């Protein structure tokens, strides 16, 4: 006797589960269901037809649309509007005249542009594509007025100009500093005397230039000699046009292709054929092991690079030994450094996490 109610309860539970399974698709369908009306509030002229607002047909040309817009704009302009007797149009009051003027302007903005008019006509002909109309409307409305490519080009050019003048300023500062170092200044003055540049500067300035002018001219001569004789590397090197961002972007495909060719040659020569590394390849491996950029490695002295090559640091085991030696040497220097000793005493006695009170 108890089997029938149990079967009914099982059947009711199965039916409930079926309805629960069908509920999400039904809710999604109701959510996506939209009225098939062509005129949508918030798009273009809203529930009004833009052609009817201007009083033109869909076959009207640009000249006819512009003429209709000018007539209606003069009529409904808030500053010039005067209601006519018996006027039953949209602008019976100044407030409604302003609304009518904005509606006329919106209709004209929609129909004067070929692409926007094409989207609007498509909306009138295909009212069922609700979300597509929203996408086209806001994609055109929110699109930037200026071409993004022009903005990027101008930005890159501005950054490149700033780079060039910044690098040139750093290079001038480096030359001015070297001109004050006795070692380089004395050598530059000797070269200037040998070439007779200082004597010429004094002869040109006799009875014509003041001592300050002669001193400035001699200083420029010394700086020019330092520029021609000293090769500054690293962050203060002489700026090159090819290092600017604009030229780096333009030359990026060439650099990429060059790197691919270089990498393929490296694999073929040293991994497949087993050739020995040359001096350039050895220095490259050493630089990569030291995790230094090319400009940083180029700024090293030549005798340091010769030391690297003599110790065969391109071999991993040799480099590990060299690295350990450098770490031990650094520890010894820090151990003998008075500032480091004071810091260690402070960490031991009054380091972080300890409260101290000073009695006056």
């Amino acid at each position: 006797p108890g089997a029938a109610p149990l079967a009914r309860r099982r059947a009711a539970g199965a039916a409930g589960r079926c309805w629960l399974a069908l509920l999400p698709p039904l809710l999604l369908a109701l959510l996506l269901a939209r009225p098939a009306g062509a005129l949508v509030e918030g798009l273009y002229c809203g529930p009004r037809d833009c052609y009817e607002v201007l009083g033109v047909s869909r076959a009207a040309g640009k000249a006819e649309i512009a003429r209709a817009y000018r007539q209606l704009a003069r009529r409904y302009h808030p500053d010039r509007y005067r209601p006519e007797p018996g006027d039953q149009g949209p602008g019976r009051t100044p407030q409604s005249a302003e609304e009518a003027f904005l509606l006329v302007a919106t209709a004209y903005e929609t129909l004067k542009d070929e692409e926007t008019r094409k989207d609007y006509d498509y909306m009138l002909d295909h009212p069922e594509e609700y979300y597509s109309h929203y996408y086209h409307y806001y994609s055109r409305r929110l699109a930037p007025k200026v071409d993004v490519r022009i903005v990027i080009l101008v930005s890159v050019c501005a950054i490149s100009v700033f780079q060039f003048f910044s690098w040139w300023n750093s290079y001038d500062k480096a030359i001015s500093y070297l001109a004050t170092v006795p070692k380089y200044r004395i050598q530059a003055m000797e070269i200037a005397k040998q070439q007779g540049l200082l004597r010429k500067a004094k002869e040109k300035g006799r009875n014509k230039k003041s001592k300050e002018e002669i001193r400035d001219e001699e200083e420029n001569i010394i700086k020019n000699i330092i520029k021609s004789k000293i090769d500054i590397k690293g962050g203060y090197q002489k700026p090159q046009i090819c290092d600017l961002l604009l030229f780096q972007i333009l030359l990026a495909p060439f650099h990429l292709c060059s790197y691919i060719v270089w990498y393929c040659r490296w694999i073929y020569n040293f991994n497949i054929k087993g050739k020995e590394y040359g001096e350039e390849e050895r220095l490259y491996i050493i630089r990569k092991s030291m995790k230094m950029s090319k400009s940083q490695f180029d700024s090293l002295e030549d005798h340091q690079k010769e030391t690297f090559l003599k110790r065969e640091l391109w071999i991993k085991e040799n480099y590990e030994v060299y690295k350990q030696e450098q770490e031990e040497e650094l520890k010894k220097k820090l151990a003998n450094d008075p500032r480091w000793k004071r810091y260690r005493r402070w960490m031991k006695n009054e380091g972080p996490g300890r409260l101290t009170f000073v009695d006056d």
Side-chain angles (χ1 to χ4, degrees), residues 187-199:
Q187 293 180 2
M189 290 184 69
E190 290 178 356
I191 295 173
K193 289 177 180 178
Q194 292 174 2
Q195 297 179 358
L197 298 176
L198 296 179
R199 186 172 60 254

Side-chain angles (χ1 to χ4, degrees), residues 143-191:
K145 303 299 181 182
V146 182
D147 193 345
V148 178
R149 294 170 294 181
I150 298 177
V151 175
I152 295 175
L153 179 61
V154 172
S155 301
V156 170
C157 292
I159 294 173
S160 301
V161 171
F162 176 78
Q163 272 185 325
F164 181 79
F165 284 104
S166 177
W167 289 348
W168 194 264
N169 185 40
S170 301
Y171 177 70
D172 285 339
K173 287 182 178 179
I175 295 296
S176 300
Y177 170 75
L178 292 175
T180 61
V181 178
K183 174 184 175 181
Y184 301 110
R185 187 177 184 85
I186 293 172
Q187 293 180 2
M189 290 184 69
E190 290 178 356
I191 295 173

Side-chain angles (χ1 to χ4, degrees), residues 256-273:
L256 179 61
C257 295
S258 301
Y259 176 78
I260 293 174
V261 172
W262 172 86
Y263 186 76
C264 293
R265 286 180 178 176
W266 183 285
I267 296 296
Y268 177 74
N269 290 327
F270 304 117
N271 292 6
I272 298 177
K273 297 184 69 174

Side-chain angles (χ1 to χ4, degrees), residues 94-128:
Q95 183 177 1
S96 60
E98 183 178 357
E99 295 174 357
F101 178 79
L102 294 176
L103 183 61
V104 169
T106 302
Y108 178 67
E109 290 293 328
T110 302
L111 300 180
K112 75 173 184 178
D113 183 70
E114 290 292 337
E115 298 297 327
T116 308
R117 184 178 180 180
K118 187 184 299 183
D119 292 341
Y120 183 70
D121 290 341
Y122 185 84
M123 186 186 75
L124 295 178
D125 296 334
H126 302 82
E128 69 280 358

Side-chain angles (χ1 to χ4, degrees), residues 50-336:
C50 292
Y51 291 102
E52 293 181 358
V53 171
L54 294 179
V56 296
S57 64
R58 291 186 60 173
K62 286 186 176 182
E64 185 179 353
I65 292 174
R67 185 167 56 252
Y69 165 72
R70 287 193 295 269
Q71 292 176 357
L72 294 174
R74 284 194 299 267
R75 180 180 179 184
Y76 293 116
H77 196 281
D79 297 335
R80 303 175 56 183
Y81 176 71
R82 297 292 182 274
E84 299 177 1
D87 187 3
Q88 300 297 323
R92 291 188 296 271
T93 64
Q95 183 177 1
S96 60
E98 183 178 357
E99 295 174 357
F101 178 79
L102 294 176
L103 183 61
V104 169
T106 302
Y108 178 67
E109 290 293 328
T110 302
L111 300 180
K112 75 173 184 178
D113 183 70
E114 290 292 337
E115 298 297 327
T116 308
R117 184 178 180 180
K118 187 184 299 183
D119 292 341
Y120 183 70
D121 290 341
Y122 185 84
M123 186 186 75
L124 295 178
D125 296 334
H126 302 82
E128 69 280 358
E129 300 181 13
Y130 183 83
Y131 293 103
S132 175
H133 303 326
Y134 264 99
Y135 169 75
H136 288 293
Y137 175 76
Y138 283 105
S139 63
R140 292 195 183 279
R141 186 166 184 176
L142 300 178
K145 303 299 181 182
V146 182
D147 193 345
V148 178
R149 294 170 294 181
I150 298 177
V151 175
I152 295 175
L153 179 61
V154 172
S155 301
V156 170
C157 292
I159 294 173
S160 301
V161 171
F162 176 78
Q163 272 185 325
F164 181 79
F165 284 104
S166 177
W167 289 348
W168 194 264
N169 185 40
S170 301
Y171 177 70
D172 285 339
K173 287 182 178 179
I175 295 296
S176 300
Y177 170 75
L178 292 175
T180 61
V181 178
K183 174 184 175 181
Y184 301 110
R185 187 177 184 85
I186 293 172
Q187 293 180 2
M189 290 184 69
E190 290 178 356
I191 295 173
K193 289 177 180 178
Q194 292 174 2
Q195 297 179 358
L197 298 176
L198 296 179
R199 186 172 60 254
K200 291 179 181 178
K202 292 180 179 179
E203 289 175 356
K204 290 180 180 179
R206 186 179 299 170
N207 300 326
K208 293 183 179 179
K209 296 181 180 180
S210 63
K211 292 182 180 180
E212 293 182 358
E213 292 175 341
I214 295 174
R215 193 182 301 112
D216 292 340
E217 190 171 350
E218 291 178 354
E219 193 70 21
N220 291 331
I221 292 172
I222 293 173
K223 289 181 179 180
N224 291 332
I225 293 174
I226 293 176
K227 287 180 182 179
S228 60
K229 297 298 181 181
I230 293 183
D231 183 19
I232 301 177
K233 297 178 180 179
Y236 292 91
Q237 64 183 2
K238 189 174 183 179
Q240 303 291 333
I241 297 295
C242 59
D243 293 334
L244 298 178
L245 177 61
L246 177 61
F247 289 90
Q248 288 293 312
I249 294 175
L250 295 176
L251 296 175
F254 171 75
H255 291 318
L256 179 61
C257 295
S258 301
Y259 176 78
I260 293 174
V261 172
W262 172 86
Y263 186 76
C264 293
R265 286 180 178 176
W266 183 285
I267 296 296
Y268 177 74
N269 290 327
F270 304 117
N271 292 6
I272 298 177
K273 297 184 69 174
K275 288 185 178 181
E276 291 188 1
Y277 296 123
E279 181 177 337
E280 183 179 352
E281 289 78 15
R282 292 171 180 175
L283 290 175
Y284 173 78
I285 297 174
I286 294 171
R287 178 170 69 85
K288 288 298 182 182
S289 299
M290 294 182 172
K291 298 179 180 179
M292 299 175 66
S293 64
K294 190 175 184 305
S295 59
Q296 290 175 332
F297 194 78
D298 291 340
S299 62
L300 297 177
E301 299 291 340
D302 292 337
H303 67 85
Q304 291 179 290
K305 298 178 182 178
E306 292 175 0
T307 303
F308 297 158
L309 294 174
K310 287 180 182 179
R311 299 196 58 173
E312 300 182 351
L313 297 186
W314 65 88
I315 301 175
K316 187 175 181 180
E317 292 77 10
N318 296 344
Y319 176 74
E320 293 296 333
V321 173
Y322 171 80
K323 183 179 179 182
Q324 189 68 25
E325 292 177 357
Q326 294 296 313
E327 292 177 354
E328 294 295 332
E329 185 178 351
L330 179 61
K331 289 180 181 179
K332 291 179 181 179
K333 287 182 179 180
L334 292 175
N336 298 325

